[in-house]
Amino acid sequence: MNQTNYQLIDFLEFDPGFQQDEFLWKACFPTSIEERDGKIVVTIPFQRQLQAVDIQPDLDMPRKSYDLVISAYGEKILKLSIGFEKALTEESEMLQLDPQLVANPLTYEIITDQWIIKDQSEITRAIFDFSQPKIDYWSNLLPEPHETLKLSVFPDGKKEIKVSAFDQFFPARNDAMALAFVEKDGQPVRATFSLEANPDEVFVGTGERFSKMDLSGKTFQLKNQDGQGVNSRRTYKNIPFYLSSEGYGLFLHTSAYSKFSLADHSTRSAQLLVEYPELDVFLIGGDEPAEIIRGYQQLTGFPNMPPLWSFGIWMSRMTYFSADEVQTICDRLREEKYPCDVIHLDTGWFVTDWLCEWKFNPERFSDPASFISKLKADGYRVSLWQMPYIAKEALQHDEAVANNYIGPLLESREQGGSNFSALDYAGTIDFTYPKAVDWYKGLLKELLEMGVVCIKTDFGEEIHMDAQYHDMDPKLLNNLYALLYQKAAYEITEEVAGEGIVWARAGWAGCQRYPLHWGGDAACSWDGMAGSLKGGLHLGLSGFGFWSHDVPGFHGVPDFMNSVISDELYVRWTQFGVFSSHIRYHGTSKREPYEYPNIANTVRNWWDLRYALIPYILQEGEKATHTGMPVLRALIFHHQDDRQCWHIDDLYYFGDDFLVAPVMNDRGIRDVYLPEGDWVNFFTGEEQMGGKWLKGFKTELHDMPVWVRKGASIPYYPNRVNCTDDMDLSKTIKLEINQSFKGIWKVLNIQ
């Protein structure tokens, strides 16, 4: 074990032997304050510490001072920024400020032992405290408390959040730093900032986290990588934002590798560390989680609304290899009355499987435009897989190298074969270079002009770190890459196809603007299903309004490509998909429902239900574009005062009115928590009062534990369709959840 339990070494990543030229500099009492253009600038001196696990000031070294800039946006967002010999980042691709979010000028006043910062409404937004601790002196066994920064912030003008000033055992043994930076070889290289954490405080968010709902007691590395499933600490979508049960959110505005330690290294503190000599932190207040997340979206952008057809069924597997194969599958789905809107072609539409060249195989897809047009006439849209890496064997390789469209590698090395890794290819498309962006858009434009409607922007969570990029260091680009990549694909799709959409795996702050995102390569197992849901709930708590997952999981276990999927898993995951914002079947083996004859009719019924619910899903999707509410929601969105709901990660709200409890075992039994309210079972019509657990709730395979709010009015489509092209939404009617409601199967006349 390498853990030392010294904060300096374990969290701040110092060399345990102190053999490197690294020093910690801690913030001390501020020395000056002034107002500049509505912002407050506070000069903070930093004292270098001795190189030891006992953190003590090196009084022989002069202090260094840096300016902490405090600014306010609207009435509920406060920004703290400090650059350690780096110019502060004012704009970035991550930010897309809502025009309604205007700067709120700040002023200050100085009173005894305090600097008080107020906004133009005279509401206190921050306080610097200079008071001395109360001392009853009787011993000199240990030194006096060290000088430190004492700061309270009030993002919404009401809730006080304190910087973690005295998280210590004795003054030289610290478990968190209020504000500090690390200097290496004479240059600042990383920075840390901490807030006090309460004993029962809960943290959620941080991206697509495959963890329990309560993230307290965990430390997360905010570094995108191939998650290789949905059951590890790796994840495709790290988002530098968390939400606290104490009524605030924190957005660390950076693309640098970072860490959040949420009451873990110390249960008294929520800490962040960024591998860059700058801190740019937004603190967002609000009365409820949706308001806080909406504040985050006001900074980084709101989700756009996906097109109508995207809410239908997507059919795929890894992979289809020819136009004839695809046509046969599409024809059979129609013949057997399975409604479907999208057919997705994964890695096999190229000349060589996995060799991405953005060109159809001319032998197996002899006339792609005609092929796509014929499918469209039958109500099918075509989605295509591709990746942002160029292989040496690709048609575009020489052109890309000659024009620096891919970041040139700093050292020559051999290219390996595909094993799902970014580093198997010759280079990464450089989306920091405008000419490379235009070139990539041109590759997609040819496909979109044929009639393709969606590009699967797969991978993107990793890049070649041994390459030189046009406008960014690889360590800053790696996390941000997903945003630049998806933005380019989304923009050209919207321009050519008329509707913006991507199908994306990686993510970072701002990616929510370009829906939609799916959960990656889940195992075809009950734990794969459970991990997927955990990831989706946390992603919804990180600003993403739309999210999907592969039904019924992506890869087999233990045989990655060939393990047989059980009928129970296929149906239960289908049910989970029906009650997700989007539903796509995909994976390493057969996924078409008619390949599972014992349950084929059951699956058809669930697909019909999905299409009946599309008017409701559209309604809730529209809310996701401006309210902070995702379509698939953790219970805390509606029950923040119910402490149990901060710990539940296996059931969720689907929009405002549905409470969904997926069955994740082959016994059809689970415990269900019904929160406060009057509920009606969606499949039986049975009424149930909330505020209690239903232990050992049993449901047959053709049903699912789903409840609807009593008194809800659910828009639904009453007629069976082949695809969304058949829908005339003016014929939508309302399903009233009252005493006459006896279950949805009776309404739809499904046996």
Side-chain angles (χ1 to χ4, degrees):
M1 295 178 65
N2 295 321
Q3 182 172 298
T4 67
N5 287 324
Y6 291 108
Q7 201 262 359
L8 185 74
I9 296 171
D10 292 342
F11 186 67
L12 298 182
E13 302 180 354
F14 271 73
D15 171 24
F18 296 100
Q19 299 301 306
Q20 300 184 32
D21 186 23
E22 285 190 317
F23 293 91
L24 176 69
W25 291 76
K26 284 181 59 181
C28 302
F29 284 155
T31 56
S32 68
I33 184 170
E34 63 177 297
E35 183 270 329
R36 297 181 194 166
D37 300 323
K39 301 177 181 180
I40 301 300
V41 180
V42 179
T43 301
I44 309 270
F46 289 78
Q47 180 69 60
R48 196 170 93 166
Q49 308 297 300
L50 295 171
Q51 278 190 324
V53 293
D54 284 344
I55 298 170
Q56 300 184 73
D58 183 352
L59 299 179
D60 293 331
M61 288 294 297
R63 294 180 171 184
K64 293 183 178 182
S65 293
Y66 298 96
D67 287 342
L68 174 68
V69 180
I70 303 176
S71 50
Y73 293 83
E75 298 178 348
K76 298 194 175 184
I77 298 177
L78 203 64
K79 180 184 181 185
L80 308 178
S81 304
I82 186 167
F84 301 100
E85 300 179 15
K86 283 279 188 182
L88 289 172
T89 302
E90 292 294 332
E91 297 180 356
S92 77
E93 287 284 351
M94 289 170 277
L95 296 180
Q96 191 178 88
L97 296 185
D98 183 352
Q100 296 181 3
L101 192 65
V102 296
N104 191 344
L106 299 173
T107 59
Y108 70 92
E109 63 175 313
I110 299 176
I111 63 174
T112 304
D113 292 336
Q114 286 187 337
W115 294 351
I116 301 176
I117 298 170
K118 297 183 177 182
D119 62 21
Q120 60 184 353
S121 299
E122 290 296 306
I123 296 173
T124 298
R125 305 296 292 275
I127 298 175
F128 287 91
D129 182 7
F130 296 87
S131 63
Q132 296 297 320
K134 294 181 179 180
I135 302 293
D136 183 7
Y137 184 83
W138 71 276
S139 171
N140 62 358
L141 178 64
L142 289 171
E144 296 179 354
H146 298 162
E147 185 179 343
T148 188
L149 177 70
K150 294 195 293 182
L151 169 64
S152 293
V153 293
F154 305 81
D156 62 356
K158 297 180 291 186
K159 177 67 179 179
E160 180 182 20
I161 305 166
K162 290 185 176 181
V163 168
S164 195
F166 296 110
D167 190 339
Q168 63 185 54
F169 175 54
F170 54 82
R173 290 286 173 89
N174 292 79
D175 288 324
M177 306 291 159
L179 177 63
F181 70 90
V182 177
E183 182 183 76
K184 183 175 182 179
D185 299 327
Q187 296 295 320
V189 291
R190 55 190 184 273
T192 186
F193 175 69
S194 304
L195 298 173
E196 287 188 3
N198 291 329
D200 60 349
E201 189 168 355
V202 177
F203 302 92
V204 297
T206 78
E208 190 181 41
R209 197 64 59 193
F210 310 125
S211 298
K212 294 291 188 181
M213 180 58 59
D214 179 8
L215 300 180
S216 62
K218 293 182 179 290
T219 295
F220 297 106
Q221 177 179 254
L222 300 174
K223 179 181 180 180
N224 281 357
Q225 55 192 309
D226 188 333
Q228 297 176 10
V230 297
N231 296 100
S232 75
R233 66 172 59 187
R234 300 179 298 268
T235 186
Y236 314 93
K237 308 175 191 64
N238 288 280
I239 308 298
F241 169 84
Y242 71 75
L243 187 146
S244 163
S245 61
E246 289 298 304
Y248 78 93
L250 183 147
F251 168 44
L252 174 61
H253 175 220
T254 186
S255 64
Y257 297 150
S258 308
K259 284 197 296 189
F260 282 161
S261 180
L262 304 174
D264 181 19
H265 279 269
S266 167
T267 61
R268 294 175 291 211
S269 299
Q271 308 179 58
L272 62 85
L273 176 71
V274 57
E275 293 185 16
Y276 194 70
E278 174 189 301
L279 282 170
D280 197 27
V281 176
F282 290 88
L283 294 162
I284 307 163
D287 295 328
E288 56 188 24
E291 184 180 13
I292 295 169
I293 292 171
R294 185 177 186 277
Y296 168 72
Q297 292 173 335
Q298 284 184 295
L299 295 169
T300 60
F302 291 97
N304 288 304
M305 184 68 176
L308 166 63
W309 54 261
S310 73
F311 294 95
I313 303 290
W314 297 49
M315 179 50 62
S316 172
R317 68 165 91 154
M318 196 188 87
T319 177
Y320 302 133
F321 285 103
S322 72
D324 289 343
E325 181 185 18
V326 171
Q327 190 65 61
T328 298
I329 289 168
C330 290
D331 288 346
R332 184 166 178 183
L333 289 172
R334 288 286 184 259
E335 289 167 5
E336 299 190 16
K337 299 189 181 305
Y338 290 101
C340 185
D341 266 79
V342 183
I343 191 77
H344 171 73
L345 279 60
D346 216 59
T347 65
W349 60 281
F350 309 115
V351 172
T352 303
D353 188 19
W354 279 94
L355 179 56
C356 177
E357 296 178 304
W358 295 273
K359 302 284 186 183
F360 278 93
N361 183 312
E363 294 182 2
R364 292 184 274 114
F365 296 89
S366 59
D367 189 350
S370 177
F371 161 72
I372 294 168
S373 177
K374 183 178 179 182
L375 289 175
K376 178 60 173 65
D378 196 20
Y380 289 102
R381 272 85 175 172
V382 172
S383 165
L384 294 180
W385 177 91
Q386 48 86 81
M387 58 165 59
Y389 316 120
I390 306 293
K392 287 182 179 178
E393 298 83 2
L395 293 171
Q396 298 87 0
H397 175 266
D398 292 348
E399 178 189 9
V401 170
N403 292 281
N404 290 324
Y405 296 152
I406 59 176
L409 301 182
L410 299 181
E411 294 183 7
S412 177
R413 57 175 174 76
E414 291 298 316
Q415 174 188 323
S418 171
N419 68 352
F420 293 74
S421 168
L423 302 182
D424 296 329
Y425 297 89
T428 300
I429 298 175
D430 185 358
F431 288 104
T432 73
Y433 185 30
K435 290 184 178 179
V437 174
D438 290 342
W439 174 75
Y440 171 74
K441 286 183 174 181
L443 297 174
L444 300 190
K445 185 177 181 181
E446 290 186 29
L447 301 169
L448 294 163
E449 287 178 340
M450 291 181 189
V452 172
V453 297
C454 180
I455 300 299
K456 179 177 175 180
T457 46
D458 204 357
F459 296 91
E461 59 278 323
E462 293 178 299
I463 64 173
H464 287 84
M465 300 302 294
D466 54 347
Q468 182 177 350
Y469 298 94
H470 183 78
D471 197 33
M472 194 170 291
D473 182 278
K475 289 184 178 180
L476 293 178
L477 177 59
N478 187 43
N479 285 331
L480 188 65
Y481 190 82
L483 176 61
L484 304 180
Y485 170 33
Q486 292 158 24
K487 178 184 178 184
Y490 186 96
E491 287 179 343
I492 191 62
T493 301
E494 185 175 42
E495 176 187 327
V496 178
E499 296 172 312
I501 191 171
V502 293
W503 188 275
R505 189 173 77 173
W508 190 252
C511 282
Q512 74 275 359
R513 303 194 297 256
Y514 309 112
L516 54 105
H517 294 76
W518 103 99
D521 297 339
C524 300
S525 62
W526 299 114
D527 50 35
M529 185 176 172
S532 294
L533 177 54
K534 287 180 173 69
L537 291 173
H538 280 295
L539 195 66
L541 287 159
S542 305
F544 286 69
F546 303 96
W547 171 83
S548 189
H549 43 91
D550 287 343
V551 182
F554 173 70
H555 70 88
V557 177
D559 189 310
F560 192 88
M561 298 297 294
N562 305 302
S563 284
V564 175
I565 298 168
S566 72
D567 288 351
E568 289 80 9
L569 181 67
Y570 191 101
V571 172
R572 293 303 188 189
W573 210 316
T574 288
Q575 294 167 349
F576 175 30
V578 165
F579 289 97
S580 300
S581 85
H582 290 77
I583 174 171
R584 183 183 76 154
Y585 288 75
H586 182 63
T588 58
S589 59
K590 296 173 181 177
R591 290 295 184 267
E592 299 76 28
Y594 50 74
E595 299 288 356
Y596 300 81
N598 293 333
I599 55 170
N601 191 58
T602 298
V603 172
R604 184 187 296 106
N605 291 340
W606 280 92
W607 286 23
D608 284 338
L609 174 59
R610 171 69 183 194
Y611 279 79
L613 290 175
I614 281 180
Y616 173 79
I617 300 170
L618 291 172
Q619 170 186 285
E620 301 306 303
E622 188 60 42
K623 293 175 185 176
T625 66
H626 64 277
T627 65
M629 289 277 200
V631 176
L632 188 146
R633 305 173 189 167
L635 299 189
I636 59 174
F637 279 100
H638 295 279
H639 304 280
Q640 64 173 346
D641 295 328
D642 185 336
R643 292 182 64 176
Q644 292 195 73
C645 291
W646 287 88
H647 299 270
I648 294 175
D649 54 35
D650 63 352
L651 56 96
Y652 59 92
Y653 270 86
F654 186 56
D656 281 340
D657 296 315
F658 283 93
L659 183 72
V660 181
V663 174
M664 292 183 278
N665 59 65
D666 57 8
R667 303 184 308 277
I669 299 174
R670 60 159 294 160
D671 295 341
V672 177
Y673 181 66
L674 285 182
E676 288 292 336
D678 293 325
W679 297 98
V680 177
N681 188 301
F682 192 50
F683 293 98
T684 68
E686 178 184 359
E687 295 186 18
Q688 192 84 49
M689 185 175 293
K692 62 184 178 183
W693 282 94
L694 305 180
K695 295 288 187 177
F697 187 88
K698 182 173 177 57
T699 182
E700 299 301 324
L701 190 60
H702 63 274
D703 284 340
M704 182 185 187
V706 175
W707 284 263
V708 198
R709 292 184 190 271
K710 185 177 179 180
S713 183
I714 307 296
Y716 82 103
Y717 199 75
N719 303 322
R720 197 204 161 274
V721 297
N722 286 322
C723 62
T724 55
D725 286 350
D726 295 345
M727 299 178 78
D728 177 358
L729 292 177
S730 68
K731 295 180 180 178
T732 297
I733 61 178
K734 293 292 182 74
L735 179 63
E736 304 299 335
I737 308 301
N738 51 34
Q739 287 81 1
S740 64
F741 176 70
K742 301 304 179 185
I744 189 61
W745 293 141
K746 285 185 169 57
V747 173
L748 298 179
N749 197 28
I750 292 175
Q751 302 300 318

